[in-house]
Amino acid sequence: MHVNSLKMVAAAACLLSTSQVMALEAPKRVECIAPAGPGGGLDFICRSIGKALNDLDIVSGNIQVTNMPGGGHGVGYAHTVSKRKGDAGVFVATSTGTTTRLAQNAYPGLDSSMVNWVAAMGAEPGVIAVRKDSPYQSLSEVLDAIGQNPGSVTFAGASPLGGDDNLRVLLTAKRAGVDELKDLRYLSFNNGGDALVQVVGGHVDVFSGDLSEAMGFFDSGDLRILAVLADERLDGKLTAVPTAKEQGVDVTWLNFRGVYVAPGISDEQYNWWQQTFSNLYETPEWKKVMQQNGLIPFHKTGAEFTDYVNAQIGEVRQLSQELGIIK
């Protein structure tokens, strides 16, 4: 067969597969599982995506949000794997917290291959912050203090020991050359708000968390953000806040906001979800959601997102082993 003929056949096959994807209708019933309580980041993903899918007429009818807290996102993960196989009408909110727990084998008998990873819909950079009258004026001063005496500074976050907020501190200290990482003092609270109240109230020295958690106290002037853990400075209100890299510590920490879907669905159904989230990400409506909620551009879908998730799991597993969090 001639080369031109081969190209025509390939093009026709591509058009056919595209038309098949486009022809596949949205599921009759759509539900989003937030593997956490109401009001948090995963709940935000479900409700923001659900509203956008309705507003843009991509999905008709009410999109149910089911909160399923517990197990560091693990209850929702296990439910999706064991109870929702083949259910093309459910999507699940996920974030870096999910991949961290998978990396640390926190979901017994479960791994990343047991669900279908669909898309990252933005990311939230981590921040290191202190109360307005804190003696620490820069990230370097905090790191110098723990370098001299690791137990002299208390850190607060929402994740448990070994979770994102704790790892963020440990990795930053490690990259800054702090040796006695096991002696660092980290206190875990129920959520970012509780941790911030302790920091702003002067009971704990330093907050480690996501940008959106810190913005309320930052706007009121009660909190000073010492570093944003992104590759570049952020726009808007935070242009004056330096990155950790600018302060000589080569660390970034992005908490992606994304979705996965159930195992056992068809390739066509998976492709519909993938295409739907790709299209949604490009809309002005979603750009506005990102801007209003402190998300920076970060978009991966399908195989690229799956590869990213698995790479993240590998990196966090290695770091967790180095730090003695897991064996």
Side-chain angles (χ1 to χ4, degrees):
M1 188 179 285
H2 294 299
V3 172
N4 285 340
S5 300
L6 285 168
K7 287 181 177 177
M8 289 174 67
V9 170
C14 182
L15 282 171
L16 180 60
S17 63
T18 302
S19 65
Q20 286 173 336
V21 170
M22 298 307 290
L24 191 67
E25 294 182 357
K28 293 287 187 285
R29 178 194 57 78
V30 176
E31 174 189 0
C32 182
I33 294 174
L42 299 183
D43 187 64
F44 151 76
I45 298 170
C46 275
R47 295 184 191 282
S48 298
I49 287 176
K51 183 177 186 303
L53 292 176
N54 278 158
D55 289 350
L56 295 167
D57 291 326
I58 296 170
V59 173
S60 60
N62 182 51
I63 296 176
Q64 178 185 341
V65 175
T66 303
N67 291 97
M68 211 171 280
H73 310 179
V75 171
Y77 197 91
H79 171 82
T80 305
V81 171
S82 64
K83 306 290 188 185
R84 306 307 281 269
K85 186 174 182 179
D87 187 346
V90 65
F91 67 98
V92 188
T94 185
S95 68
T96 305
T98 310
T99 56
T100 296
R101 304 301 283 166
L102 284 166
Q104 295 171 343
N105 304 314
Y107 307 158
L110 303 176
D111 61 51
S112 65
S113 69
M114 294 178 176
V115 299
N116 285 305
W117 301 90
V118 178
M121 300 294 286
E124 191 173 350
V127 295
I128 305 292
V130 294
R131 64 184 181 276
K132 63 181 178 183
D133 57 350
S134 169
Y136 302 111
Q137 298 295 318
S138 67
L139 178 63
S140 299
E141 290 184 7
V142 173
L143 294 170
D144 286 345
I146 60 176
Q148 293 174 23
N149 179 1
S152 65
V153 179
T154 52
F155 296 86
S159 72
L161 285 168
D164 282 9
D165 296 340
N166 186 205
L167 282 175
R168 185 184 289 122
V169 171
L170 292 167
L171 181 61
T172 302
K174 183 174 186 284
R175 294 277 170 86
V178 176
D179 294 324
E180 304 301 323
L181 296 175
K182 291 180 182 177
D183 293 334
L184 293 184
R185 296 175 63 196
Y186 171 82
L187 301 176
S188 172
F189 293 89
N190 288 330
N191 53 59
D194 287 351
L196 280 161
V197 166
Q198 295 299 311
V199 172
V200 170
H203 308 294
V204 184
D205 299 311
V206 182
F207 172 74
S208 167
D210 293 328
L211 174 62
S212 64
E213 296 173 317
M215 284 308 294
F217 283 115
F218 176 78
D219 287 340
S220 69
D222 293 304
L223 194 72
R224 281 191 289 114
I225 298 178
L226 299 181
V228 59
L229 305 185
D231 288 326
E232 300 174 350
R233 288 197 186 199
L234 305 183
D235 296 329
K237 302 172 183 176
L238 294 164
T239 50
V241 178
T243 64
K245 286 186 173 184
E246 286 179 67
Q247 300 176 73
V249 186
D250 185 14
V251 61
T252 61
W253 192 284
L254 299 180
N255 186 359
F256 71 78
R257 306 299 195 197
V259 293
Y260 60 82
V261 293
I265 64 173
S266 69
D267 289 346
E268 289 80 11
Q269 290 166 329
Y270 175 71
N271 289 338
W272 182 88
W273 279 115
Q274 185 180 321
Q275 191 62 51
T276 294
F277 284 115
S278 291
N279 294 342
L280 176 60
Y281 185 83
E282 299 301 330
T283 63
E285 288 82 359
W286 190 253
K287 301 298 183 192
K288 186 177 180 182
V289 168
M290 289 175 58
Q291 184 180 21
Q292 289 176 338
N293 292 277
L295 297 183
I296 61 175
F298 187 77
H299 186 53
K300 298 178 186 296
T301 62
E304 185 186 16
F305 183 44
T306 305
D307 289 344
Y308 171 81
V309 164
N310 288 326
Q312 281 280 102
I313 288 171
E315 289 174 358
V316 172
R317 181 169 290 151
Q318 182 180 0
L319 177 63
S320 298
Q321 287 169 340
E322 285 178 18
L323 297 173
I325 294 167
I326 59 172
K327 292 182 179 180

